[in-house]
Amino acid sequence: MEMTKERALELVKQHVKKKNLIKHMLATGACMRALAERFNGDPDRWEIAGILHDLDYDETYDDYPRHAIRTVEILRELGYDDEKVLNAILAHADKKEIENEFEQALYAVDPTTGFIVAAALMHPTKKLANIDLGFLKRRFKEKRFAAGANRDQMRSIEKIGLSLDEFLEICLKAMQSISEELGL
């Protein structure tokens, strides 16, 4: 089965009910697309992995050991067999060891989108357009700010040669580019 962004979004609408989770998946897709360009990856493939990475979250919310595994099962049942995307989805949830830039990028992006959304929401304007790298860096140092956004996981992007600053800048710009869809 060929996966397009449109098909991925249809699957999200079928499987995910929470609007904020859908926005997280869209933001993750946008960040992954931008990172693909930085790492000479396939932007469509990277974006699709970002969009689909939490496809099973509603179903596995109370059964985290099945998270990501169930997404891969759903996609395989539909005939989707892009092992690189499936492996990245598994790796983002620690269901397989990270073996390449693609998998590392998705692992690092996952908490980063929530961190950037939290930063935007604390800004007086509540708009991504008014957030910059300096604002993000100040918030990053505050342990209690967006405490659920694992800083070590975000910083793990450095394992593939990208500084945290550059990573945050890439993700911020990617999310700003879809700010209307994100409602920020």
Side-chain angles (χ1 to χ4, degrees), residues 2-183:
E2 184 67 30
M3 185 64 67
T4 62
K5 178 180 180 179
E6 293 71 29
R7 179 69 179 120
L9 293 172
E10 285 174 25
L11 288 171
V12 168
K13 286 178 188 157
Q14 287 172 19
H15 292 269
V16 182
K17 302 301 171 231
K18 295 178 182 83
K19 283 189 175 21
N20 284 342
L21 180 57
I22 293 170
K23 290 177 183 181
H24 163 68
M25 295 165 78
L26 292 172
T28 303
C31 293
M32 287 296 291
R33 174 172 275 285
L35 286 167
E37 293 167 16
R38 171 66 170 70
F39 288 103
N40 297 315
D42 176 338
D44 293 332
R45 174 186 268 166
W46 284 47
E47 182 177 34
I48 286 166
I51 291 170
L52 295 176
H53 81 285
D54 278 346
L55 189 66
D56 65 9
Y57 199 82
D58 284 355
E59 187 179 330
T60 62
Y61 181 77
D62 292 325
D63 188 10
Y64 189 78
R66 299 254 321 124
H67 177 51
I69 293 168
R70 182 63 189 129
T71 292
V72 169
E73 289 172 358
I74 292 166
L75 294 171
R76 286 192 195 283
E77 287 163 11
L78 295 169
Y80 184 66
D81 62 356
D82 185 330
E83 292 302 321
K84 289 184 176 173
V85 170
L86 299 176
N87 282 329
I89 290 169
L90 290 171
H92 102 274
D94 292 317
K95 299 304 187 293
K96 73 170 286 300
E97 195 172 315
I98 294 170
E99 298 179 46
N100 56 50
E101 293 170 339
F102 184 25
E103 294 171 7
Q104 185 66 59
L106 186 56
Y107 178 77
V109 166
D110 191 24
T112 303
T113 61
F115 173 81
I116 293 172
V117 166
L121 292 175
M122 81 165 297
H123 193 276
T125 64
K126 303 205 182 319
K127 295 289 181 197
L128 286 166
N130 297 317
I131 304 296
D132 62 16
L133 179 60
F135 190 79
L136 291 178
K137 287 174 66 173
R138 287 189 298 279
R139 300 295 82 77
F140 191 86
K141 291 175 187 168
E142 298 171 17
K143 287 185 171 67
R144 293 200 313 219
F145 174 77
N150 184 319
R151 305 304 200 266
D152 291 335
Q153 191 172 342
M154 293 167 67
R155 218 181 274 111
S156 74
I157 199 68
E158 295 170 347
K159 293 178 181 178
I160 56 173
L162 199 60
S163 73
L164 179 64
D165 285 4
E166 190 177 357
F167 174 61
L168 289 173
E169 189 82 45
I170 289 169
C171 288
L172 176 60
K173 285 182 178 162
M175 290 174 65
Q176 286 170 334
S177 76
I178 63 162
S179 61
E180 235 174 83
E181 291 168 79
L182 300 176

